[in-house]
Structure formats: structure tokens, C-alpha cells
DNA sequence: CACCAGGCAAGTA
DNA sequence: TACTTGCATGGT
């Protein structure tokens, strides 16, 4: 493991706020739905969408496969981009039915890098959504990079503004023990830190200095 | 009123 | 490969 402050930052964050209880979902499939719905969208709106969808049908692959996309789109409207997201969800359900006997369990029999490739081949699933699913639904040791994480690294001088996704992911993976539970908490803690202390790049009124200055 | 929120795909050069 | 644009709602 390389020498970086990343492990120390994690220990400080965990000591300050404790376990964040991510991901907020009852099943792996529901987690996958949330991962698509929350793309560039506030989590509150995802909760509205999931509640409306739950009122329409059970949150299982075969139930959604059988639900007309127009109905699905109407249910998830509060989460925004509802045409694109309903298409992504429908295709996910169709693929699970056609190639994985309709269960996430069979999908998750794939080895991690194979599973990542598989998810990335699905419409509407890019690097962050794929890695979120790998970590929070399949419990694989993969670090998720999102807008908060980029901000966190940049403000601590650990990356440039345009450093690639895979480079940032490797930064964490090389600096930390390969532990899904640790990656899970760390990412959730970074999001909490970002939500509570900073809103914009590269600086904001609330946190003119590095993010960690607020809790160290 | 403008801006943002746990991104992605498709088009262009 | 590297940029740009469209997608869409609800909160502040």
C-alpha cells in the first residue's frame, strides 16, 4: 500500500460520525434501482420515486419486466430523467430475465471484473453506477468515485481536477486494505462530509480550506 | 430567479 | 481520444 493520508482521513471521519448505514435498500435489486435513479439526482427524489414504484408493483426483476415502461416512467418521474431511467431499468429487468433466470443472485455469481464489464455493457450504467452496485449490492472490494469524492481528493491536493475515474479509484484501492466494509463506510462518509461542508468547486464560503480541517 | 443533486449516452472534431 | 449537449425533477 502506498503512503497517503487516505487511511488517516478515513479513521478521522469514522471516529467523528460512525457508521453511515449505506446503502439504504432492502434488497440487492432495490439497491440497483436506487443506483440508477440517483444519477445526478438528489436522494430525496429517489425516495419519492421508489415509494411510487412500490405502490405499483413489487421491487423485483420479473415484476418490473412485466410492467409497461410508460407506467414505470410515470412512477419514477420525481427522480428526473424518467424516460432514460425507465429505459435503463426496463432493460436491466429484461436482461436479468433473459440471461440470469430473473435473479440478481445468478448475476452476482460472476467474478468481480467480469461482473463489472457486464454491468458497464448495460444501458444507463456507467463507471460510478457499476461500482456502486459492485460495492453496495454485491459486496465487492471496489471503491466508488463520485462528484463528492473528486472534490474531496482535489481539495486535499491528492489529484487534479480532470484526473480519470480509474486513476482516482486506483488511488484509494492502492492506499487502503481491500475491505468492502471499509470502502462502503469511507465513501458514505465522504458524501456526508461533502453534503455538510461544501457545495462547489474549487472553494466555497463554508470551507475555504481542505475539508478535513473541519473535523481534525 | 438561478443553481444544484450520490451520471450517462450520443454526437462532433 | 477529448469535448459538448440533452436529459428532468424537486429543494434551496
Amino acid at each position: 500500500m502506498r503512503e497517503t493520508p487516505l487511511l488517516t482521513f478515513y479513521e478521522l471521519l469514522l471516529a467523528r460520525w460512525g457508521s453511515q448505514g449505506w446503502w439504504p435498500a432492502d434488497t440487492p435489486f432495490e439497491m440497483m434501482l436506487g443506483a440508477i435513479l440517483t444519477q445526478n439526482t438528489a436522494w430525496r427524489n429517489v425516495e419519492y420515486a421508489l415509494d411510487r414504484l412500490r405502490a405499483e408493483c413489487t421491487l423485483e426483476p420479473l415484476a418490473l419486466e412485466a410492467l409497461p415502461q410508460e407506467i414505470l416512467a410515470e412512477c419514477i418521474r420525481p427522480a428526473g430523467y424518467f424516460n432514460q431511467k425507465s429505459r435503463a431499468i426496463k432493460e436491466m429487468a429484461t436482461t436479468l430475465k433473459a440471461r440470469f433466470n430473473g435473479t440478481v443472485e445468478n448475476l452476482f455469481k460472476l467474478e468481480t471484473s467480469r461482473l463489472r464489464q457486464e454491468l458497464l455493457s448495460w444501458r444507463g450504467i456507467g463507471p460510478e453506477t457499476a461500482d456502486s452496485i459492485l460495492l453496495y449490492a454485491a459486496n465487492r472490494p471496489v471503491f466508488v468515485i463520485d462528484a463528492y469524492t473528486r472534490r474531496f481528493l482535489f481539495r486535499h491536493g491528492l489529484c487534479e481536477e480532470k484526473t480519470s475515474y480509474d486513476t482516482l479509484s486506483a488511488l484509494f484501492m492502492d492506499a487502503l486494505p481491500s475491505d468492502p466494509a471499509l470502502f462502503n463506510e469511507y465513501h458514505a462518509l465522504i458524501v456526508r462530509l461533502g453534503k455538510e461542508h461544501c457545495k462547489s468547486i474549487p472553494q466555497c464560503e463554508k470551507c475555504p480550506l481542505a475539508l478535513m480541517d473541519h473535523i481534525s
Side-chain angles (χ1 to χ4, degrees), chain A residues 113-180:
Chain A
S113 63
R114 290 284 187 189
L115 178 54
R116 188 170 197 272
Q117 288 178 20
E118 175 69 29
L119 293 170
L120 286 174
S121 75
W122 295 2
R123 176 174 302 277
I125 296 188
E128 183 189 335
T129 306
D131 287 346
S132 294
I133 291 170
L134 286 167
L135 177 60
Y136 290 106
N139 198 37
R140 309 299 171 88
V142 173
F143 207 95
V144 178
I145 304 299
D146 66 356
Y148 289 116
T149 314
R150 284 183 175 278
R151 218 172 289 163
F152 175 80
L153 291 173
F154 182 67
R155 294 222 188 157
H156 289 92
L158 297 175
C159 76
E160 304 299 319
E161 284 190 84
K162 297 185 292 186
T163 305
S164 76
Y165 183 98
D166 289 340
T167 300
L168 297 185
S169 185
L171 218 169
F172 282 98
M173 313 263 282
D174 290 346
L176 304 169
S178 186
D179 177 1

Side-chain angles (χ1 to χ4, degrees), chain A residues 26-48:
Chain A
D26 293 334
T27 67
F29 184 68
E30 184 180 322
M31 183 277 151
M32 294 167 77
L33 292 175
I36 290 172
L37 291 173
T38 198
Q39 290 167 2
N40 204 40
T41 299
W43 182 255
R44 177 187 310 276
N45 291 348
V46 177
E47 293 182 318
Y48 295 152

Side-chain angles (χ1 to χ4, degrees), chain A residues 8-34:
Chain A
T8 299
F9 286 168
Y10 169 69
E11 288 165 351
L12 287 169
L13 285 166
L14 187 64
R16 173 67 179 79
W17 284 317
S19 174
Q20 300 300 295
W22 276 33
W23 184 292
D26 293 334
T27 67
F29 184 68
E30 184 180 322
M31 183 277 151
M32 294 167 77
L33 292 175

Side-chain angles (χ1 to χ4, degrees), chain A residues 81-132:
Chain A
Y81 307 134
F82 53 88
N83 287 312
Q84 300 188 108
K85 288 175 179 177
S86 62
R87 184 177 176 189
I89 289 169
K90 277 296 284 186
E91 291 190 15
M92 173 169 75
T94 300
T95 299
L96 284 170
K97 180 183 181 183
R99 297 180 40 221
F100 298 96
N101 197 30
T103 73
V104 173
E105 181 185 352
N106 284 326
L107 171 69
F108 285 177
K109 287 178 180 173
L110 292 174
E111 176 276 331
T112 299
S113 63
R114 290 284 187 189
L115 178 54
R116 188 170 197 272
Q117 288 178 20
E118 175 69 29
L119 293 170
L120 286 174
S121 75
W122 295 2
R123 176 174 302 277
I125 296 188
E128 183 189 335
T129 306
D131 287 346
S132 294

